[in-house]
Amino acid sequence: MTRKLKIGITCYPSLGGSGVVATELGKLLAEKGHEIHFITHSIPFRLGKFHKNIYYHEVEVNDYYVFRYPPYDLALASKMAQVVQMQDLDLLHVHYAVPHAICAHLAKQMVGDRLKTVTTLHGTDITVLAQDESLKDLIRLGINTSDAVTAVSADLIRETRDLLDIANPIDLTYNFVDKRIYYPRECQSLKSDYAPKGEKLLMHISNFRPVKRISDVIDTFARVADVMPAKLLLVGEGPELIKAQFRINQLGLDDRVHFLGKQDDVAQLISIADLMLLPSEKESFGLVALEAMACGVPTIGSLAGGIPELVSHGETGYLSAIGDTESMAANAVRLLSDDKLFKQFRDACIRRAQSKFCNDRITAEYERIYYRTLGIEADIPIPVCSE
């Protein structure tokens, strides 16, 4: 029997796709008997209640007066090394190249080469930060000194190689959803709270950063609302939220848009939507589209980054050129106006999410990477997931 592992996981614990995936992966690995140690500055928001085999180690930053800026990176690296030594961890799995891969590299320098590090690239660490010449060499170092590197889409792998001239292998390991949590739910009473007259419900979930193109979300919805009764649910918070509110006021859509703020448990909420809007300018994967797909909700999105690897155009949603809100709206109306077509898309969404992106499959892929990195022979079959 292959021995169970002791794994340290570091991620951004606040709202965001990388933190969600890292936390859910840790929970799934713990269920399989591995010992998981989260090393972060606060408890990951998806961790929630007590979980067997999961431990949390808080990173505390020294605010010594000579430091103009609190040195979080150094505190994290030091904490990583401490936990590795005290808990006898086998490896560190860090999510995001900066600063986490660099911190893991420093921890390894303190602990020794017996410690192995795995880095998962999630997107903006490459698509945004690696565009900055002052950070490029640092990101390259973090990737090249990792014992294994994974990325959440083939498009992200391509961009990483193009931008940073990375020759080392990068494993394609898609994001996933836990099929026990994300599935179509009967939420008619909740849906009627937002659509009392049977209006179609469109939804957008994000951190409201500029790359999410919130104005395109609103413009697409406005075009749909001109054709049929519809409501828009905006979930999340971020720097573009004020602009979104202003734009909605300009268009006179106040009574058709609901701002729901941050929501930790979105599975039930997604289930009341008819369509998910994801017109991003950059999107390495698009986790929210996968969560929607698992709940039977098609996506109207853009041809950006890894979205086409996730959303099958003409089958589980429709994709248009970035900024083409006229096409996005037309596709949305097409789906919402044809009950038979909508059911076909809905069924295809569920099949695709539960087969290609299910939790059992992706967790096993990560286990294989861990054992390979540690030089341990292990028979980890990749399960065939089905609806």
Side-chain angles (χ1 to χ4, degrees):
M1 180 179 177
T2 305
R3 73 175 178 88
K4 299 302 181 182
L5 303 178
K6 293 185 175 182
I7 304 166
I9 293 179
T10 294
C11 62
Y12 287 111
S14 56
L15 189 67
S18 64
V20 169
V21 169
T23 306
E24 295 299 331
L25 175 62
K27 288 156 65 174
L28 291 167
L29 290 166
E31 286 183 16
K32 299 186 78 170
H34 300 290
E35 188 174 299
I36 305 301
H37 295 260
F38 282 97
I39 309 169
T40 59
H41 61 74
S42 58
I43 296 177
F45 80 99
R46 282 283 183 95
L47 193 55
K49 61 182 182 181
F50 169 80
H51 297 273
K52 183 181 178 182
N53 296 329
I54 291 181
Y55 305 86
Y56 168 64
H57 307 271
E58 183 177 3
V59 179
E60 296 182 356
V61 179
N62 189 327
D63 60 356
Y64 185 52
Y65 74 93
V66 301
F67 296 133
R68 181 175 180 182
Y69 302 106
Y72 171 72
D73 300 354
L74 299 181
L76 174 58
S78 179
K79 190 68 174 185
M80 285 176 166
Q82 290 173 14
V83 175
V84 167
Q85 291 175 316
M86 291 178 62
Q87 303 295 333
D88 194 25
L89 301 190
D90 293 298
L91 59 84
L92 292 174
H93 185 176
V94 298
H95 296 257
Y96 242 68
V98 285
H100 301 151
I102 295 298
C103 295
H105 172 63
L106 290 175
K108 188 172 184 177
Q109 297 299 303
M110 288 183 268
V111 173
D113 286 341
R114 74 166 185 84
L115 174 64
K116 301 300 180 183
T117 61
V118 177
T119 295
T120 292
L121 307 175
H122 283 272
T124 51
D125 43 356
I126 302 300
T127 61
V128 176
L129 297 179
Q131 308 279 348
D132 187 336
E133 290 296 329
S134 67
L135 293 175
K136 187 172 287 187
D137 288 341
L138 195 65
I139 295 172
R140 185 183 294 112
L141 175 66
I143 293 173
N144 283 335
T145 56
S146 298
D147 295 291
V149 180
T150 76
V152 299
S153 69
D155 183 78
L156 183 56
I157 293 176
R158 176 198 59 76
E159 188 161 2
T160 301
R161 295 198 185 285
D162 290 347
L163 280 172
L164 300 174
D165 193 26
I166 301 295
N168 293 345
I170 301 177
D171 289 285
L172 172 60
T173 312
Y174 284 121
N175 287 336
F176 62 89
V177 284
D178 189 335
K179 57 189 176 185
R180 299 166 300 180
I181 299 173
Y182 290 92
Y183 58 88
R185 305 185 185 206
E186 177 52 50
C187 304
Q188 191 55 46
S189 60
L190 177 60
K191 186 171 186 176
S192 63
D193 288 341
Y194 297 105
K197 298 180 180 178
E199 300 95 333
K200 299 298 183 182
L201 279 182
L202 287 71
M203 181 177 291
H204 174 78
I205 302 177
S206 76
N207 51 19
F208 285 75
R209 290 179 297 138
V211 294
K212 300 299 182 179
R213 298 182 69 93
I214 307 303
S215 61
D216 286 359
V217 172
I218 297 167
D219 288 349
T220 299
F221 170 71
R223 292 175 183 273
V224 173
D226 280 343
V227 177
M228 61 176 59
K231 295 288 185 71
L232 174 64
L233 303 182
L234 295 175
V235 183
E237 293 181 356
E240 296 292 294
L241 187 61
I242 297 299
K243 292 181 182 178
Q245 291 174 321
F246 180 74
R247 179 64 176 157
I248 288 165
N249 290 338
Q250 270 189 325
L251 296 174
L253 296 172
D254 306 67
D255 61 336
R256 304 189 200 182
V257 180
H258 296 277
F259 293 89
L260 304 185
K262 288 184 179 180
Q263 299 287 334
D264 289 350
D265 182 7
V266 296
Q268 185 176 20
L269 196 57
I270 290 174
S271 291
I272 72 174
D274 294 295
L275 292 177
M276 182 64 65
L277 299 181
L278 190 65
S280 306
E281 182 176 324
K282 294 181 179 181
E283 198 74 61
S284 60
F285 181 79
L287 181 62
V288 69
L290 175 55
E291 293 173 339
M293 188 187 298
C295 295
V297 179
T299 291
I300 300 296
S302 60
L303 288 161
I307 296 178
E309 297 174 52
L310 170 62
V311 178
S312 181
H313 179 71
E315 182 183 352
T316 64
Y318 287 114
L319 303 178
S320 304
I322 296 170
D324 190 351
T325 59
E326 183 176 355
S327 172
M328 293 178 190
N331 288 330
V333 170
R334 180 184 310 159
L335 261 180
L336 297 174
S337 302
D338 188 332
D339 291 343
K340 182 178 179 181
L341 181 64
F342 183 85
K343 185 179 186 308
Q344 290 175 359
F345 273 59
R346 176 181 172 84
D347 293 344
C349 281
I350 298 168
R351 287 195 302 270
R352 183 168 172 79
Q354 295 192 351
S355 58
K356 191 173 180 63
F357 304 101
C358 81
N359 52 287
D360 296 331
R361 179 185 182 89
I362 306 302
T363 303
E365 290 180 2
Y366 275 116
E367 284 184 293
R368 281 188 170 187
I369 292 168
Y370 296 155
Y371 285 114
R372 184 193 73 204
T373 302
L374 291 166
I376 299 173
E377 290 189 14
D379 182 19
I380 307 293
I382 301 296
V384 177
C385 299
S386 59
E387 185 179 348

